[in-house]
Amino acid sequence: MGAEAPTIAELSRALKARETTAEAVLDRCLRRIAERNPTINAFISVFEADARAQAREADREIAAGRYRGPLHGVPISIKDLFDIRGSATTAASRVRQNHVARSDAPSIARLRDAGAVFVGKTNLHEFAYGTTNEESAFGPARHPLDPTRSPGGSSGGSAASVADGMCFASMGTDTGGSIRIPSAACGLVGLKPTLGELTTDGVVPLSMTLDHIGPLCRSVEDAGILYDVLRGETTPPVSAPADSRGLTLGIPREYFLTLLDPQVAHAFENACTRLRDAGIKLEDVSIPHVGDVTAIYLHIQLSEGAAFHAKTLERQPNDYTPGVRLRLEMGRYVLAEDYARALRGRDVLRREVDATLEGRDGLFLPAMAIPAPKIGTTTVRVGGVEEPVRSMMLRCTQTFNVTGHPAITIPCGNTAEGLPIGAQVVGARGGTPQLLGLARTIEPYVGPGTSR
Amino acid sequence: MGYALFEMTIKAWLEAAVHDAERRGLIELKPMLEMLARATSALRTAEWNADASGEFDRAESDGR
């Protein structure tokens, strides 16, 4: 199996019809991992024996007529922040080198009950505290299309594992964009549901009030399949695609479209043209205080991250990678008064995003302002100015962690070098199923030929 | 942080924070704290900040 692997929806039909077996599919994934992981470094651990046992069991059950659903027998990877019973949850850090999970995270338990096959745990930016995946105790994960580049982060190994055909989907986490950024960088679909909708229990936190979990996969339909399993409700399934005519999307131009790599801007405007041609109404909208989002996000995320890590920063500071240790230490200097200010700003932004969605089906904007950056670069030139890579990667996504609105990335084109570019669709709070339905409807227009 | 009393300005906070970081051997924190100070300044001057001398709508601050 290679990078042109089928979607879960396609594979599950073949598995259910017994046109192939879970063992055969897993075998192709394991061969791909053996061939490619030494270069891409997507996996921290591979569960070959356990995965083979899960696949054999899936084949037995399907043959016996006990088909569990569209994840039954499907190989997926898990970001190494989620507890899987009996294995280490390293968070890509030496701080957790002696950890062994006693039980599955609730999200993992649901995936296991649905018959998913866990091929292994994926590399990430240490403790999910970065956007490039470069700071990991296991070395950087690399972009499948160009190993000199980052696959994005922090769920970089997850994105690389799916994009390179090592598995069919991955579970990631998203505190400022860590599902959507690597999905955009690697040409995948990445879903961050509404804040608090899916439990983060059993997942190593970065920032308690900003953390989300969600899938990275090859199509919006696949995102819906995983979302249905994760929320524990299969009826009704996520909305099917609808007629595009009559849909209205808001385009928040200020801030989100003012500082973009020219190729990203071009691909996004082309996607807008295709949406208009499909009969979708696009309206400019304003989030008046979105320019304050970086300061708001920073004070919340720094404080909450520092609080979680304070004890180990004192006890074993040298077990952190230097950059992650410094960012965590920075958070220990934020004053409580400023954290409280940031919480008030968060409410302001939440209400302003709510207002832009009134009378509209969703917001449409880029997912990442730049294509996948070269590993080792800390700044990138955009609009004639050197900008920090980290802030450019977070720029389009972090707002919706602060406000809690569900958001999904869809590939919308490629750079001249062939690097993927992603668009982002944002829905109403509590409306993740509706967002998935909207995304399925517009997916063929957003990026024809770029997602499955 | 090792400082208890200082004028409650960002400038004073930054000086104290940098001094404390240097005392702890974390000299690389200085440019990061300077960046944080700029973000804190933006946060404190945002127009949506509460003013205790004026009206206050609680619904604006509890996510409703």
Side-chain angles (χ1 to χ4, degrees):
Chain A
M1 193 168 73
E4 297 304 315
T7 64
I8 291 174
E10 292 164 346
L11 173 64
S12 65
R13 285 189 282 273
L15 285 168
K16 187 179 183 185
R18 301 179 64 193
E19 294 164 1
T20 187
T21 65
E23 267 199 283
V25 173
L26 173 65
D27 199 52
R28 288 197 290 275
C29 290
L30 292 172
R31 281 206 303 271
R32 184 74 177 174
I33 292 169
E35 176 193 346
R36 293 281 288 166
N37 201 52
T39 302
I40 305 300
N41 201 24
F43 283 89
I44 288 174
S45 53
V46 178
F47 302 150
E48 181 167 349
D50 286 352
R52 288 192 187 282
Q54 282 182 296
R56 279 194 298 273
E57 179 65 12
D59 285 334
R60 272 195 295 272
E61 290 182 346
I62 293 169
R66 298 196 302 274
Y67 182 67
R68 299 193 196 190
L71 276 186
H72 204 174
V74 175
I76 66 172
S77 65
I78 308 293
K79 186 179 187 177
D80 202 1
L81 276 186
F82 291 76
D83 282 348
I84 296 180
R85 67 176 182 237
S87 69
T89 308
T90 71
S93 180
R94 289 192 297 151
V95 171
R96 294 178 61 84
Q97 60 191 328
N98 298 318
H99 173 266
V100 177
R102 288 189 294 271
S103 58
D104 285 342
S107 50
I108 296 300
R110 285 195 165 156
L111 294 166
R112 190 188 293 280
D113 287 347
V117 173
F118 303 140
V119 289
K121 300 188 82 175
T122 53
N123 205 350
L124 62 145
H125 210 118
E126 183 181 30
F127 281 108
Y129 209 164
T131 57
T132 61
N133 224 124
E134 289 171 83
E135 295 165 307
S136 162
F138 300 89
R142 296 176 180 276
H143 199 292
L145 297 175
D146 178 355
T148 68
R149 293 183 183 270
S150 163
S154 62
S155 312
S158 288
S161 71
V162 181
D164 201 57
M166 300 171 176
C167 57
F168 287 80
S170 189
M171 282 300 297
T173 64
D174 192 316
T175 302
S178 286
I179 289 171
R180 291 161 289 156
I181 290 167
S183 294
C186 291
L188 299 174
V189 168
L191 171 67
K192 178 200 84 71
T194 301
L195 179 64
E197 185 180 1
L198 301 180
T199 178
T200 54
D201 287 352
V203 182
V204 178
L206 172 56
S207 183
M208 295 286 192
T209 73
L210 295 170
D211 291 344
H212 301 64
I213 66 165
L216 302 89
C217 41
R218 297 197 182 102
S219 70
V220 177
E221 184 178 16
D222 284 3
I225 288 170
L226 277 119
Y227 170 73
D228 275 343
V229 168
L230 291 166
R231 68 179 178 149
E233 295 175 26
T234 53
T235 53
V238 296
S239 304
D243 189 347
S244 60
R245 289 166 298 184
L247 292 174
T248 303
L249 298 175
I251 312 286
R253 289 194 177 273
E254 59 193 311
Y255 181 78
F256 293 107
L257 273 68
T258 52
L259 194 60
L260 292 177
D261 175 276
Q263 294 196 78
V264 173
H266 184 68
F268 179 76
E269 292 301 341
N270 282 345
C272 288
T273 299
R274 290 191 295 270
L275 290 171
R276 284 192 200 93
D277 290 346
I280 296 168
K281 189 176 179 185
L282 302 183
E283 297 176 338
D284 287 355
V285 296
S286 174
I287 305 169
H289 293 99
V290 71
D292 296 329
V293 71
T294 300
I296 293 167
Y297 174 83
L298 199 61
H299 285 80
I300 296 172
Q301 194 269 315
L302 284 174
S303 303
E304 294 180 355
F308 179 68
H309 286 275
K311 191 180 286 185
T312 43
L313 282 170
E314 294 297 324
R315 193 175 63 215
Q316 49 195 115
N318 295 325
D319 284 342
Y320 290 90
T321 58
V324 168
R325 180 192 173 194
L326 284 173
R327 287 199 288 285
L328 288 167
E329 287 285 359
M330 179 168 54
R332 304 178 83 184
Y333 291 91
V334 174
L335 300 181
E337 169 187 327
D338 295 314
Y339 178 75
R341 276 196 179 91
L343 294 181
R344 179 172 170 84
R346 181 180 202 169
D347 291 332
V348 170
L349 285 183
R350 184 187 292 129
R351 281 183 282 107
E352 290 181 353
V353 175
D354 283 345
T356 64
L357 286 161
E358 284 177 15
R360 298 184 181 92
D361 298 285
L363 303 181
F364 187 63
L365 63 154
M368 188 164 71
I370 56 173
K374 288 276 188 186
I375 289 173
T377 55
T378 56
T379 63
V380 59
R381 196 161 187 82
V382 180
V385 179
E386 287 293 324
E387 299 282 350
V389 164
R390 178 181 163 81
S391 61
M392 288 303 292
M393 293 177 87
L394 287 166
R395 186 174 176 84
C396 294
T397 50
Q398 64 187 352
T399 298
F400 308 105
N401 295 81
V402 169
T403 67
H405 292 79
I408 189 168
T409 56
I410 302 173
C412 74
N414 294 289
T415 66
E417 300 87 0
L419 294 170
I421 296 169
Q424 182 175 205
V425 193
V426 177
R429 286 187 289 141
T432 308
Q434 291 75 19
L435 172 66
L436 283 160
L438 171 65
R440 277 192 76 179
T441 303
I442 68 173
E443 185 178 26
Y445 311 113
V446 171
T450 54
S451 68
R452 297 294 304 273
Chain B
M1 266 169 67
Y3 58 91
L5 296 170
F6 57 81
E7 192 184 353
M8 296 304 290
T9 64
I10 292 172
K11 181 172 180 288
W13 166 84
L14 179 59
E15 285 174 1
V18 168
H19 176 74
D20 185 70
E22 288 172 347
R23 180 188 62 77
R24 297 173 61 218
L26 297 170
I27 53 173
E28 305 97 323
L29 262 184
K30 185 179 179 190
M32 300 170 75
L33 290 167
E34 290 167 346
M35 181 276 293
L36 177 58
R38 290 192 292 274
T40 303
S41 179
L43 191 71
R44 292 185 181 186
T45 55
E47 64 179 10
W48 40 259
N49 273 291
D51 181 343
S53 69
E55 299 297 319
F56 182 74
D57 181 355
R58 186 168 296 278
E60 288 187 357
S61 285
D62 66 2
R64 280 182 281 168

